[in-house]
Amino acid sequence: MDQRKRKRMESNRESARRSRIRKKKHLDDLVGQITELKKDNNQILTSINFTTHRYLNIEAENSVLRAQMTELSQRLDSLNDILHYLNREGIEYTPDCFTNPFNVPYLNQQPPIMASAHIFQY
């Protein structure tokens, strides 16, 4: 019976040793997974930060472009109003009169407005 008991104890010890080895390997695998996941997480955070920074830059550029579009639309509306007025009044104009406002024919036909310093005095 002693022999049998000793064999059983030895078998139990060997089984416990194998169990500890399996647990240690499993723990090492989990630690490796944690390390890999932390690395992946850092890469994702870096990518998110880069994408967020890029998004904010593009959003700022879009705001500038929207403001420019609004300004240009208003300028176009004003020029169309001027053209409508000139056409309605039958006033002749050349296309370059909008790029060089002093070259408008009807302005050149009238005498210049003269101003002197005394008109600004009270």
Side-chain angles (χ1 to χ4, degrees):
M1 179 103 142
D2 256 351
Q3 182 76 10
R4 210 167 149 199
K5 195 174 181 182
R6 202 174 316 158
K7 243 185 172 181
R8 183 146 172 87
M9 283 176 55
E10 195 176 308
S11 175
N12 284 346
R13 282 187 193 132
E14 183 61 28
S15 179
R17 186 182 71 78
R18 284 192 310 264
S19 179
R20 285 191 302 274
I21 289 172
R22 280 193 310 272
K23 284 181 183 179
K24 183 169 179 358
K25 183 183 180 325
H26 183 64
L27 183 62
D28 291 344
D29 289 345
L30 289 175
V31 169
Q33 278 183 329
I34 288 171
T35 302
E36 191 66 30
L37 289 172
K38 282 183 178 180
K39 185 180 123 188
D40 291 348
N41 201 21
N42 284 335
Q43 288 176 343
I44 290 169
L45 287 174
T46 300
S47 177
I48 287 172
N49 288 337
F50 174 76
T51 303
T52 301
H53 180 71
R54 196 164 162 223
Y55 167 79
L56 292 173
N57 285 340
I58 290 172
E59 189 63 34
E61 186 180 345
N62 278 346
S63 292
V64 169
L65 290 172
R66 280 188 205 102
Q68 289 174 344
M69 182 187 72
T70 300
E71 180 185 345
L72 289 172
S73 292
Q74 290 171 348
R75 288 173 65 185
L76 180 61
D77 289 343
S78 295
L79 289 172
N80 281 332
D81 289 345
I82 291 169
L83 282 175
H84 179 72
Y85 172 78
L86 292 175
N87 287 331
R88 189 179 70 220
E89 297 298 318
I91 300 173
E92 291 184 29
Y93 60 90
T94 58
D96 70 328
C97 71
F98 296 106
T99 56
N100 182 4
F102 297 106
N103 194 24
V104 179
Y106 69 88
L107 286 179
N108 294 333
Q109 295 171 359
Q110 300 173 0
I113 299 173
M114 303 303 282
S116 62
H118 77 279
I119 66 169
F120 297 109
Q121 295 175 352
Y122 295 97

PDB file of all heavy atoms in Angstrom, residues 4 8 10 19 23 86 88 98:
ATOM      1  N   ARG A   4       1.900   2.072  -3.522  1.00  0.00           N
ATOM      2  CA  ARG A   4       0.776   2.623  -4.287  1.00  0.00           C
ATOM      3  C   ARG A   4       0.519   4.084  -3.906  1.00  0.00           C
ATOM      4  O   ARG A   4       0.280   4.934  -4.763  1.00  0.00           O
ATOM      5  CB  ARG A   4      -0.461   1.776  -3.968  1.00  0.00           C
ATOM      6  CG  ARG A   4      -1.408   1.699  -5.062  1.00  0.00           C
ATOM      7  CD  ARG A   4      -2.395   0.601  -4.739  1.00  0.00           C
ATOM      8  NE  ARG A   4      -3.627   0.971  -5.332  1.00  0.00           N
ATOM      9  CZ  ARG A   4      -4.781   0.517  -5.024  1.00  0.00           C
ATOM     10  NH1 ARG A   4      -4.907  -0.361  -4.068  1.00  0.00           N
ATOM     11  NH2 ARG A   4      -5.844   0.892  -5.651  1.00  0.00           N
ATOM     12  N   ARG A   8       0.996   7.342  -6.320  1.00  0.00           N
ATOM     13  CA  ARG A   8      -0.129   8.282  -6.498  1.00  0.00           C
ATOM     14  C   ARG A   8       0.312   9.701  -6.149  1.00  0.00           C
ATOM     15  O   ARG A   8      -0.015  10.654  -6.858  1.00  0.00           O
ATOM     16  CB  ARG A   8      -1.292   7.851  -5.608  1.00  0.00           C
ATOM     17  CG  ARG A   8      -2.506   8.710  -5.769  1.00  0.00           C
ATOM     18  CD  ARG A   8      -3.728   7.824  -5.595  1.00  0.00           C
ATOM     19  NE  ARG A   8      -4.928   8.594  -5.540  1.00  0.00           N
ATOM     20  CZ  ARG A   8      -5.602   8.952  -6.619  1.00  0.00           C
ATOM     21  NH1 ARG A   8      -5.187   8.598  -7.795  1.00  0.00           N
ATOM     22  NH2 ARG A   8      -6.699   9.657  -6.506  1.00  0.00           N
ATOM     23  N   GLU A  10       3.365  10.859  -6.305  1.00  0.00           N
ATOM     24  CA  GLU A  10       4.270  11.292  -7.377  1.00  0.00           C
ATOM     25  C   GLU A  10       3.476  11.686  -8.618  1.00  0.00           C
ATOM     26  O   GLU A  10       3.758  12.687  -9.274  1.00  0.00           O
ATOM     27  CB  GLU A  10       5.237  10.148  -7.703  1.00  0.00           C
ATOM     28  CG  GLU A  10       6.412  10.598  -8.522  1.00  0.00           C
ATOM     29  CD  GLU A  10       7.376   9.443  -8.738  1.00  0.00           C
ATOM     30  OE1 GLU A  10       7.772   8.792  -7.761  1.00  0.00           O
ATOM     31  OE2 GLU A  10       7.699   9.207  -9.902  1.00  0.00           O
ATOM     32  N   SER A  19       0.173  21.279 -14.565  1.00  0.00           N
ATOM     33  CA  SER A  19      -0.881  22.284 -14.430  1.00  0.00           C
ATOM     34  C   SER A  19      -0.267  23.676 -14.223  1.00  0.00           C
ATOM     35  O   SER A  19      -0.714  24.661 -14.833  1.00  0.00           O
ATOM     36  CB  SER A  19      -1.803  21.926 -13.279  1.00  0.00           C
ATOM     37  OG  SER A  19      -2.803  22.903 -13.117  1.00  0.00           O
ATOM     38  N   LYS A  23      -0.619  26.856 -16.677  1.00  0.00           N
ATOM     39  CA  LYS A  23      -1.098  28.155 -16.164  1.00  0.00           C
ATOM     40  C   LYS A  23      -0.085  29.251 -16.464  1.00  0.00           C
ATOM     41  O   LYS A  23      -0.445  30.352 -16.866  1.00  0.00           O
ATOM     42  CB  LYS A  23      -1.363  28.084 -14.665  1.00  0.00           C
ATOM     43  CG  LYS A  23      -2.633  27.370 -14.313  1.00  0.00           C
ATOM     44  CD  LYS A  23      -2.855  27.356 -12.816  1.00  0.00           C
ATOM     45  CE  LYS A  23      -4.097  26.574 -12.459  1.00  0.00           C
ATOM     46  NZ  LYS A  23      -4.330  26.532 -11.015  1.00  0.00           N
ATOM     47  N   LEU A  86     -27.353  99.513 -65.586  1.00  0.00           N
ATOM     48  CA  LEU A  86     -26.768 100.124 -66.788  1.00  0.00           C
ATOM     49  C   LEU A  86     -27.576  99.761 -68.022  1.00  0.00           C
ATOM     50  O   LEU A  86     -27.818 100.622 -68.895  1.00  0.00           O
ATOM     51  CB  LEU A  86     -25.306  99.690 -66.950  1.00  0.00           C
ATOM     52  CG  LEU A  86     -24.317 100.212 -65.916  1.00  0.00           C
ATOM     53  CD1 LEU A  86     -22.945  99.598 -66.138  1.00  0.00           C
ATOM     54  CD2 LEU A  86     -24.231 101.725 -65.928  1.00  0.00           C
ATOM     55  N   ARG A  88     -30.768  98.895 -68.089  1.00  0.00           N
ATOM     56  CA  ARG A  88     -32.088  99.513 -67.978  1.00  0.00           C
ATOM     57  C   ARG A  88     -32.030 100.994 -68.354  1.00  0.00           C
ATOM     58  O   ARG A  88     -32.920 101.520 -69.013  1.00  0.00           O
ATOM     59  CB  ARG A  88     -32.615  99.342 -66.552  1.00  0.00           C
ATOM     60  CG  ARG A  88     -34.068  99.753 -66.414  1.00  0.00           C
ATOM     61  CD  ARG A  88     -34.604  99.569 -65.015  1.00  0.00           C
ATOM     62  NE  ARG A  88     -33.973 100.561 -64.155  1.00  0.00           N
ATOM     63  CZ  ARG A  88     -33.545 100.360 -62.918  1.00  0.00           C
ATOM     64  NH1 ARG A  88     -33.688  99.175 -62.370  1.00  0.00           N
ATOM     65  NH2 ARG A  88     -32.974 101.296 -62.223  1.00  0.00           N
ATOM     66  N   PHE A  98     -15.328  97.216 -65.176  1.00  0.00           N
ATOM     67  CA  PHE A  98     -15.455  96.646 -63.835  1.00  0.00           C
ATOM     68  C   PHE A  98     -14.097  96.353 -63.206  1.00  0.00           C
ATOM     69  O   PHE A  98     -13.967  96.293 -62.003  1.00  0.00           O
ATOM     70  CB  PHE A  98     -16.323  95.389 -63.861  1.00  0.00           C
ATOM     71  CG  PHE A  98     -17.743  95.692 -64.273  1.00  0.00           C
ATOM     72  CD1 PHE A  98     -18.195  95.350 -65.528  1.00  0.00           C
ATOM     73  CD2 PHE A  98     -18.592  96.358 -63.406  1.00  0.00           C
ATOM     74  CE1 PHE A  98     -19.487  95.649 -65.905  1.00  0.00           C
ATOM     75  CE2 PHE A  98     -19.891  96.657 -63.781  1.00  0.00           C
ATOM     76  CZ  PHE A  98     -20.339  96.304 -65.033  1.00  0.00           C
TER      77      PHE A  98
END
